[in-house]
Amino acid sequence: MAKPMTKTQLVAALAEEMGTDKKAAGTALDAVAAIITKEVSGGGAVTIPGVGKIYCRERPEREVRNPATGEKFMKEADKVVKMTIAKALKDSVNE
């Protein structure tokens, strides 16, 4: 498996794709991340066409086990961020 793209590499690729400098691309990337964070943490969802949908889901209280000791205990209800991958992206990986 290839190494994941770093933020620096992503900013450089974005700048090249946009035909702009790295500073502007970095600012754009930070703005998109801030918008997604704000929307999802507020209970909403964000769809990025061709990539997928990012949303927050509530998990109910449940019984879990400590793998080190085997002790079972109840874990409080919490929220988790999920992402559904777009069909177009799935299909492009399997071509």
Side-chain angles (χ1 to χ4, degrees):
M1 186 166 121
K3 283 187 170 184
M5 184 181 268
T6 65
K7 181 179 178 182
T8 304
Q9 293 168 330
L10 181 58
V11 167
L14 186 59
E16 186 177 323
E17 189 72 26
M18 291 172 51
T20 186
D21 62 345
K22 290 180 184 177
K23 186 173 182 178
T27 302
L29 182 62
D30 290 340
V32 169
I35 291 167
I36 291 170
T37 302
K38 181 179 176 185
E39 185 65 26
V40 173
S41 65
V46 177
T47 300
I48 303 172
V51 176
K53 179 179 175 183
I54 303 169
Y55 58 97
C56 183
R57 186 179 74 94
E58 292 189 25
R59 288 195 294 194
E61 182 179 40
R62 62 200 185 279
E63 187 176 62
V64 295
R65 186 180 66 84
N66 181 338
T69 63
E71 173 191 5
K72 291 184 179 182
F73 60 95
M74 293 303 289
K75 183 170 181 185
E76 295 178 9
D78 62 351
K79 294 179 182 177
V80 63
V81 176
K82 294 286 199 175
M83 181 167 183
T84 303
I85 305 301
K87 185 176 184 324
L89 181 56
K90 287 180 190 177
D91 291 346
S92 72
V93 170
N94 290 318
E95 288 182 351

